[in-house]
Amino acid sequence: MRERNSPRSVLVVGSGGREHALVWALRRSPSVGTLYAAPGNPGIAQLAEIVPISADDIHAIADWSVERAVDLVVVGPEAPLAAGLADLLMERSTPVFGPTRAAAELEWSKTFAKRFLSEHAIPTPGWAVFTDADTALAHAARADYPLVVKADGLAAGKGVTVCASFAEAAAAIRAALVEGAFGEAGRRVIVEEFVTGKEVSVIALCDGERIACLPPARDHKRLGADDTGPNTGGMGAYAPVPELDEVFLHLVEETILQPTVDGLRAMGRPYRGALYAGLMLGPTGPQVLEFNCRFGDPETQAMLPLLEGDFAEILLACAEGQLDPTSVCRTGGSTTCLTLAAPGYPICPELGGVVRGIVDAEATGALVFHAGTVARDDEVVAGGGRVVSVVGRGADLQESTERAYAAAARIEFPGKQMRPDIGAPQLALAR
Ligand code: GLY
């Protein structure tokens, strides 16, 4: 283990709302001195020194980290992890929060994840894997509907299709296996049973052996109110999820997350980083819909403001295999995160609109994390489909939601899209 410097220098890799939230939490860590972000964004630039290297240029990031002797690298997105950034850093004795390529296979191959889940008796919807279109079509012809068709590999959030009929399933199967719509990522498809219930995201910080869960969050993936419209990268989230108590979290740890970390360790793939379980809560208990090898977006923006303590110390302890789960402490209260998206998102976002009112929104006490913005002259303009995340904090979900909407109303850009009902289903339950 490397000798620890104090204060520490930390590099965050990535450029979205999740990475802005990570930088925000690290900036508040007493142990952190210099904070860098590669490539960051205009919001992150207010808190960290920008390193102009793309998150996908893993060799340049590793070289830079070694040259600067940074004390910790925290990797946001999945692509550099799947490409082996953590491996490169570990080979050169640079502590990294994020799994190796082998451990990250849980996200970059759904076939691997499904086999792993089945072999370890971890609950997950029924599935079959295909490389041949005719065999997949024959299976789909005999199946019950709805049915889920998933590209095996990383497909930038576009590889999952919920099919209402055989015709839709056949189109999804042909798109992946015949037309090559997802390239290499779609050379295999998973055909999965459709399960109903309520979804929840649980993220554990892992050190290869031990785990500590962050407060559970509920993401809202559809663009429109009442879960209508196309799937998006996430239109908002709240945390914690009021109906999920410590008993639930303990069940998820015991039946899903700890067996996953134990199983990977037994395979010689110790998992160090954020392990994200996308769960469906049905009548038989939680089932794993997906694993991600990273923090969720926008869940992270909602989860991190609920943590106490030195976040950098916790992530470094994970990187070094030294996590003390009791060091991960939560504040009380609730957060609600709203995504403000560009017009045309998610199909064809129109970029370039000037974003105004961020300082006014922050003046209400809310947090504003830049998700897809660029600096132009003295202004900030929409530079990605999801433009900013606005996080309200309050004593309970009602208060955090009201505060998030009050703050979000102060931010304007042409064609701003925002779901009006984040947190609302939960409030309706409570009434
Ligand atoms: N919120 C879903 C994800 O991060 O993949």
Side-chain angles (χ1 to χ4, degrees):
M1 199 187 306
R2 226 165 71 159
E3 198 175 311
R4 290 181 166 196
N5 295 320
S6 188
R8 302 207 169 87
S9 57
V10 180
L11 168 69
V12 174
V13 177
S15 60
R18 165 184 52 206
E19 287 76 21
H20 192 174
L22 288 166
V23 165
W24 173 83
L26 291 164
R27 185 71 288 162
R28 289 156 54 93
S29 302
S31 66
V32 173
T34 315
L35 196 47
Y36 303 101
N41 66 36
I44 291 174
Q46 294 171 16
L47 302 173
E49 207 173 296
I50 294 298
V51 181
I53 304 177
S54 156
D56 293 327
D57 194 347
I58 62 169
H59 291 277
I61 287 178
D63 288 346
W64 185 92
S65 305
V66 172
E67 273 161 28
R68 294 297 176 108
V70 295
D71 297 301
L72 175 67
V73 178
V74 179
V75 186
E78 63 278 15
L81 292 166
L85 176 56
D87 306 65
L88 287 181
L89 290 164
M90 285 166 69
E91 279 161 20
R92 296 163 79 178
S93 303
T94 297
V96 51
F97 182 86
T100 58
R101 173 172 162 75
E105 192 169 1
L106 275 185
E107 178 166 359
W108 62 258
S109 170
K110 292 186 172 52
T111 309
F112 174 81
K114 283 295 210 178
R115 284 196 181 123
F116 179 92
L117 287 162
S118 298
E119 281 165 20
H120 292 83
I122 298 172
T124 190
W127 63 284
V129 60
F130 301 96
T131 51
D132 171 65
D134 289 339
T135 322
L137 290 169
H139 176 88
R142 293 190 303 270
D144 292 332
Y145 283 81
L147 190 69
V148 184
V149 177
K150 296 179 170 177
D152 176 62
L154 297 181
K158 298 193 173 79
V160 178
T161 314
V162 178
C163 309
S165 62
F166 173 71
E168 287 179 23
I173 289 167
R174 286 200 188 96
L177 293 180
V178 180
E179 293 149 24
F182 306 109
E184 271 302 304
R187 293 281 291 273
R188 286 193 289 198
V189 294
I190 301 283
V191 178
E192 192 181 79
E193 174 197 6
F194 176 80
V195 288
T196 53
K198 297 192 85 173
E199 284 188 49
V200 61
S201 311
V202 179
I203 296 176
L205 308 179
C206 309
D207 75 347
E209 192 176 341
R210 287 162 289 265
I211 63 171
C213 283
L214 303 182
R218 178 159 286 137
D219 188 12
H220 295 66
K221 293 202 175 78
R222 299 291 197 101
L223 179 70
D226 295 327
D227 288 330
T228 53
N231 260 330
T232 70
M235 292 301 291
Y238 57 82
V241 179
E243 80 264 27
L244 303 179
D245 56 13
E246 288 304 318
V247 175
F248 165 81
L249 214 50
H250 189 66
L251 175 79
V252 171
E253 284 177 2
E254 293 290 305
T255 60
I256 294 173
L257 294 166
Q258 191 65 57
T260 301
V261 169
D262 292 346
L264 286 169
R265 191 159 155 255
M267 293 171 80
R269 305 183 186 208
Y271 195 102
R272 293 179 174 169
L275 175 60
Y276 170 131
L279 304 176
M280 180 63 84
L281 310 180
T284 57
Q287 297 196 71
V288 178
L289 294 182
E290 63 172 356
F291 279 129
N292 292 319
C293 64
R294 51 169 174 81
F295 288 104
D297 191 337
E299 290 96 327
T300 304
Q301 294 89 308
M303 290 174 175
L304 296 190
L306 296 171
L307 290 188
E308 276 175 347
D310 192 312
F311 189 54
E313 279 283 286
I314 293 168
L315 300 191
L316 184 60
C318 288
E320 292 180 332
Q322 302 282 329
L323 173 67
D324 170 6
T326 63
S327 67
V328 181
C329 299
R330 294 194 221 161
T331 64
S334 168
T335 54
T336 303
C337 171
L338 307 177
T339 298
L340 309 193
Y345 176 76
I347 312 291
C348 189
E350 219 176 280
L351 308 182
V354 177
V355 183
R356 299 187 203 284
I358 290 178
V359 173
D360 280 354
E362 289 171 332
T364 67
L367 299 165
V368 180
F369 297 121
H370 290 230
T373 65
V374 289
R376 197 178 63 193
D377 302 325
D378 284 338
E379 294 180 315
V380 165
V381 304
R386 290 185 290 174
V387 179
V388 291
S389 301
V390 178
V391 181
R393 295 175 282 188
D396 56 21
L397 181 57
Q398 172 132 11
E399 192 171 57
S400 62
T401 300
E402 284 166 5
R403 288 178 176 173
Y405 278 101
R410 297 184 174 208
I411 298 181
E412 285 303 336
F413 51 87
K416 174 178 106 178
Q417 298 195 81
M418 175 175 73
R419 260 182 77 153
D421 62 340
I422 308 297
Q426 186 63 46
L427 293 180
L429 268 186
R431 277 199 290 270

